[in-house]
Amino acid sequence: MPRYLSLVRIDETAVPAEGPSEELMQRMGELIEEITKAGVMLDTAGLTPTSQGTRVHWEGGKISVTDGPFTEAKEVVGGYAIMQCKDKAEALEWTKRFLKVHEEFWTVTCEVREIAEG
């Protein structure tokens, strides 16, 4: 069965200062438990803010290293999920369910891509 990567993109400027609500975390935990029991979820995690990240860039034969935050980026990768699904349609259905656990004030986009094998 193919594997899919769902990159969770968030607008860091719109995230509540106190982080996700307790209710959101409960709903997300319940969905993750369901998707894991269904044999779909292989791995998932949130990421620390870009202020704690570092970018390593290769261009023109030279490496540059930049510590976060990255002010030019509004939408950043806030987490990921690796799922094993029968097809892309199934991966998209699970992703839609993940998005729907968020309150309406969140701005979240998931990019779903099949992982190239071999």
Side-chain angles (χ1 to χ4, degrees), residues 6-7 20 29 40 57 59 64 72 77 80 93-94 96 103:
S6 180
L7 288 173
V40 171
H57 182 75
E59 183 177 5
S64 64
E72 72 279 2
V77 177
Y80 69 92
E93 283 306 312
W94 284 111
K96 290 174 189 176
E103 292 95 352

Side-chain angles (χ1 to χ4, degrees), residues 80-99:
Y80 69 92
I82 298 176
M83 302 174 286
Q84 189 165 26
C85 302
K86 63 183 178 205
D87 55 27
K88 189 173 185 178
E90 181 185 13
L92 292 174
E93 283 306 312
W94 284 111
T95 301
K96 290 174 189 176
R97 289 188 59 195
F98 166 77
L99 289 172

Side-chain angles (χ1 to χ4, degrees), residues 36-94:
T36 301
K37 284 182 179 178
V40 171
M41 183 66 73
L42 300 178
D43 190 25
T44 188
L47 301 175
T48 59
T50 59
S51 62
Q52 298 175 26
T54 302
R55 286 187 178 162
V56 181
H57 182 75
W58 171 257
E59 183 177 5
K62 295 183 180 176
I63 293 276
S64 64
V65 179
T66 307
D67 290 330
F70 312 114
T71 56
E72 72 279 2
K74 179 182 175 192
E75 191 177 73
V76 300
V77 177
Y80 69 92
I82 298 176
M83 302 174 286
Q84 189 165 26
C85 302
K86 63 183 178 205
D87 55 27
K88 189 173 185 178
E90 181 185 13
L92 292 174
E93 283 306 312
W94 284 111

Side-chain angles (χ1 to χ4, degrees), residues 100-115:
K100 289 178 180 178
V101 302
H102 292 79
E103 292 95 352
E104 290 184 11
F105 60 83
W106 283 86
T107 301
V108 184
T109 303
C110 290
E111 179 181 339
V112 178
R113 297 172 59 186
E114 186 172 346
I115 298 172

